[in-house]
Amino acid sequence: MSGTAPVGSGGPVGPGALAFLLAQLGAFAGRRFGERVQTLGITPAHAGLLRAVGAEPGRSQQAVASQLGLFPSRLVSLVDELERDGLLERRRDPQDRRHHALHLTATGTKRLREIGRVAQAHGEDVLDVLDGDDRAALAALLGRLAARHELTPGVHPGYRALGPAADSAATPPDGRTA
Amino acid sequence: MSGTAPVGSGGPVGPGALAFLLAQLGAFAGRRFGERVQTLGITPAHAGLLRAVGAEPGRSQQAVASQLGLFPSRLVSLVDELERDGLLERRRDPQDRRHHALHLTATGTKRLREIGRVAQAHGEDVLDVLDGDDRAALAALLGRLAARHELTPGVHPGYRALGPAADSAATPPDGRTA
DNA sequence: TATTGTTATACTCTATAACTATA
DNA sequence: TATAGTTATAGAGTATAACAATA
C-alpha cells in the first residue's frame, strides 16, 4: 500500500494519501471556520449567503439558490433567519411580484465586513506556519486543482450538490436501509 | 477586502481566501471519494474503520472509537453493518469477556485492498493536472499544515470531534432554536 | 399553464442517555 | 462500583413534495 509514511515526516506519499490529506485539511479548515463564525451568531451557510448577496445584490432567491447549489426550500429558512436578525431583506419586484430580490441591510453590510475579518484571522491561523512564498506556492497549486475541477469560486463547500439530476456516478449498489 | 481575484487567475489571494480554497477542495475531494467507495457498497466511514482495524487488529471497540473520534454507539452500527457483510468480526476476549476484539475477515482484507486501489485512482483523478514535482511540493506544504495542527494521520475527516468536552471555543452566542 | 416562493412532511444522520453483561 | 458494549430515544439537518400567489 502506498503512503504508509507518517504525514509530518516529509517522506513520499502516494496520490491516494495526498488526496486524503487534502480532504483532511479541508475538513479541518472548514470546521474551524464554522467555530469562528459562530461567535458572530451565524453558521457558515449564513456567511456564504451574505457574501453571495453582497457580491451581487438584487437577485431573486432562485438565482441565488441555483448559484450556491442548494434547494429553494433550504434557502427560504436561511433567508428567514437572516431577515429576522435584520441582516438581509426581501424586496418584492414591482415588475414581477413573484420575485423577491435579496438585499443586505446596513447591519448586514457591517456583519459581512466582520465576516471578512474573521475569515482573514482564520486564514492566518490555519496557514501560520507558511511564509509568503509558501502561501503563494500553495495558492498556485490549489488554484490549478480548483480550475481543473471547475469549482465555483465563491461557493462554500458545505452546500450539498444540486439535488435533482446531480448523481449519476454515485448510484448506491446495495440497499443499505437499516 | 482581500482576495477578490478569481480563483483560477493566478492572482494573489489573501489568507482567508486561501483557507477557503483549501476547505473547498477538501470537501470536493472527500465527496468524490465517497462516490467512489460507494461502488464497493460502503461509505467513507466504513472504509476508515476497515483501514483502522487492518492497521492494528485485535483492538477493542472502545479503543478504535476513541482513535477515530466517534461515539461508541456510532461504532456499534458501523461494526454491525460490516460484520453483516462479512468483512469484519467481533471476537470476545476470553480474559475479559466484556471486550470485543475487532478483526478483518479474509473478505475484509480483500475489500481493504480494493479500497486502497480506489483511493489511489481517486488521488490520480483529483491530482491529475499536477506532475511529480508539483505533488511533492503540495505534499510538503500540506504535511506542514497537518503537523502544525496535529491532525491524526489515518483519521477520516468525516468523523466528527469527540462529543463530550470537545467544544469550549464553539459556544453558540444566541439561542437559535427555530 | 408555468413559475416563484413558501409550507409541510419525511427521512437520514448522529448525539445522548438508559440498559445489560461482565468484572 | 466501574467498565464494555448495546439498545433506545431524541434532536438537528436536509431532501421531497404539496401548496398559494402571481404571471
Side-chain angles (χ1 to χ4, degrees), chain B residues 128-142:
Chain B
D128 74 343
V129 288
L130 303 184
D131 65 24
D133 287 348
D134 293 331
R135 294 181 188 187
L138 181 61
L141 289 165
L142 296 184

Side-chain angles (χ1 to χ4, degrees), chain B residues 68-125:
Chain B
L68 296 182
L70 44 81
F71 288 90
S73 61
R74 168 113 179 85
L75 186 65
V76 167
S77 57
L78 289 175
V79 172
D80 281 348
E81 289 155 359
L82 291 175
E83 194 170 42
R84 172 162 43 79
D85 292 353
L87 304 177
L88 205 69
E89 64 180 15
R90 294 171 165 101
R91 293 187 201 157
R92 273 203 125 104
D93 182 349
Q95 309 294 316
D96 184 338
R97 292 172 40 76
R98 291 175 303 182
H99 286 76
H100 283 175
L102 298 179
H103 292 268
L104 296 183
T105 63
T107 312
T109 304
K110 206 175 111 193
R111 186 65 53 91
L112 184 55
R113 275 197 293 269
E114 290 168 359
I115 293 169
R117 281 192 290 273
V118 163
Q120 180 162 358
H122 162 67
E124 292 290 357
D125 176 19

